[in-house]
Amino acid sequence: MDQPPDLTRVAVIGAGEHGSRHAREFLKVPGARLVGIYDLRRERAEALAQELGVLAFGDLGEALDAVEAASIVVPATDHAGIARRAFDRGVDVLLEKPVTRTVEEANDLIERAVAQNRILQVGHVERFNPGVIAAHTATRDPVFFEVHRLGVFSPRSLDVDVVFDLMIHDLDLVLWMVKAEVADVRAVGLPVLSNKVDIANARVEFHNGAVANFTASRVSTERVRKFRYFQPSEYISIDFARRDAIAFSVDRNGPAPQIQFRKLQPPATGISGEQSGCDASVDPLRTELAAFVGSVRTRRQPLVTGVEGRNALALAERVMICIEAHAAQLHMPLGRSSGQSGEL
């Protein structure tokens, strides 16, 4: 049976582990039609395309000419070049994080997206976690953040520093919640199992007085995702795995103060405009892709714009500069990657 004509035609560029997830989730996104997949490794694209019943494009130009929107899930070294080609063909773009290799490349893409009236969304998928959405609606003047993102070592991490692979998720979330300029950054990090930074700690201070401590590691024996923050008279904890958030406060109405907690609820209207995005059983990646398709169809600004992706990248760069300065003091060599992050 022919597909309805009003579906948004999309392609996935990059058929690695994460690109394959994008492709599979696009099949479940209302309003989207996954046309096909492109990857430099032709055999990888063909295998995934055959599994999903879509096309395996022979080259990038063929892929971009066949669609209205593309999810680009390749190493960050290639983000800017592919996105520019997409914009020139009238194709809207979802770029996996980090948005580009450098801040200068990000600025160029932001300007091009505006000039060519293209949607540019950045793949900070934690923004679409129902727990994060619920917490964000309850956030008011946060003062202190304590964030831990720990994982076990994976071979896919061999060419990327942990700051750009893991910590950047949380840098983006704190920037989203604080809404103030960064005043100071201090950070340390070191290689453990690779020649890149495998564990890092950063302290970020903002001009409004807020402070955030971040720890990111890929040499842990267990997977830990803790995002906790404090605001006047309240403490909020996000559980990324359960996809929920809890607020703790003091009830002073009785004879003695009592600690009370409440589960925070996401807004009923959702974030994509076409679906609620609030169901904890739905993969946040699917919600992210649905929001992207919604922006393509309505021309609304995405939840994570190119500017926000650029700001997260710029802060990650400042963290890495501090780490490199500290490593130089210790005469400790670091093998910073040229691509920083992306799909292998």
Side-chain angles (χ1 to χ4, degrees):
M1 180 180 294
D2 293 338
Q3 293 279 356
D6 61 340
L7 294 180
T8 299
R9 303 185 311 278
V10 298
V12 173
I13 312 300
E17 179 182 347
H18 200 45
S20 298
R21 288 191 61 217
H22 277 235
R24 292 187 178 94
E25 291 298 332
F26 263 128
L27 293 177
K28 305 169 186 175
V29 172
R33 176 193 169 199
L34 179 64
V35 177
I37 298 153
Y38 171 71
D39 194 284
L40 282 173
R41 303 181 194 180
R42 181 65 184 267
E43 69 284 355
R44 188 160 71 171
E46 289 177 342
L48 181 59
Q50 183 175 11
E51 174 193 337
L52 302 182
V54 298
L55 297 175
F57 294 111
D59 59 63
L60 178 60
E62 178 188 355
L64 296 176
D65 286 340
V67 299
E68 303 160 76
S71 185
I72 299 174
V73 198
V74 299
T77 45
D78 298 324
H79 280 189
I82 295 176
R84 284 194 293 265
R85 291 183 64 180
F87 289 165
D88 289 343
R89 284 171 161 81
V91 174
D92 296 316
V93 165
L94 169 62
L95 276 177
E96 259 305 333
K97 59 81 189 169
V99 56
T100 50
R101 184 179 60 89
T102 66
V103 172
E104 292 73 21
E105 287 180 342
N107 285 332
D108 177 68
L109 283 188
I110 291 165
E111 292 175 3
R112 287 171 183 263
V114 172
Q116 297 176 260
N117 192 29
R118 300 269 57 88
I119 296 296
L120 172 59
Q121 180 172 320
V122 185
H124 285 284
V125 70
E126 296 289 24
R127 294 265 201 115
F128 298 87
N129 188 303
V132 172
I133 298 167
H136 187 261
T137 62
T139 300
R140 59 183 191 283
D141 302 321
V143 176
F144 178 66
F145 294 79
E146 190 70 38
V147 185
H148 292 81
R149 187 174 292 263
L150 316 178
V152 297
F153 190 77
S154 167
R156 74 175 291 273
S157 303
L158 287 173
D159 76 334
V160 51
D161 296 292
V162 73
V163 172
F164 297 99
D165 192 31
L166 296 182
M167 186 183 286
I168 195 169
H169 284 293
D170 300 310
L171 297 176
D172 170 67
L173 292 181
V174 170
L175 288 173
W176 189 36
M177 293 177 173
V178 171
K179 303 295 186 185
E181 295 295 320
V182 173
D184 188 42
V185 176
R186 301 177 188 180
V188 296
L190 69 155
V192 179
L193 299 180
S194 74
N195 68 336
K196 307 295 188 298
V197 175
D198 292 318
I199 184 168
N201 176 266
R203 177 183 173 89
V204 178
E205 299 179 6
F206 295 87
H207 279 296
N208 68 352
V211 175
N213 286 331
F214 303 87
T215 299
S217 170
R218 56 178 178 226
V219 290
S220 174
T221 58
E222 59 182 338
R223 190 172 184 269
V224 177
R225 300 285 188 269
K226 292 183 178 180
F227 192 102
R228 297 161 290 183
Y229 59 103
F230 303 82
Q231 55 193 23
S233 304
E234 199 165 46
Y235 155 51
I236 294 177
S237 177
I238 300 172
D239 189 309
F240 292 100
R242 286 202 314 262
R243 301 172 184 169
D244 64 17
I246 296 175
F248 298 82
S249 59
V250 176
D251 182 0
R252 304 182 185 278
N253 294 322
Q258 298 289 326
I259 298 295
Q260 63 178 10
F261 67 91
R262 72 185 193 281
K263 184 176 179 180
L264 300 176
Q265 299 297 328
T269 54
I271 54 179
S272 71
E274 296 186 359
Q275 62 179 48
S276 70
C278 301
D279 186 350
S281 66
V282 175
D283 191 319
L285 176 59
R286 191 186 312 168
T287 307
E288 176 186 64
L289 299 180
F292 173 55
V293 171
S295 290
V296 171
R297 294 167 70 89
T298 64
R299 313 315 293 171
R300 291 191 308 266
Q301 279 291 301
L303 178 65
V304 190
T305 64
V307 170
E308 291 172 301
R310 186 270 317 277
N311 292 345
L313 174 62
L315 183 52
E317 282 282 359
R318 289 184 66 174
V319 170
M320 275 302 302
I321 289 170
C322 290
I323 289 173
E324 289 167 339
H326 181 258
Q329 280 186 311
L330 301 177
H331 305 289
M332 180 176 61
L334 293 178
R336 187 172 180 182
S337 62
S338 60
Q340 298 176 336
S341 183
E343 181 79 347
L344 299 178

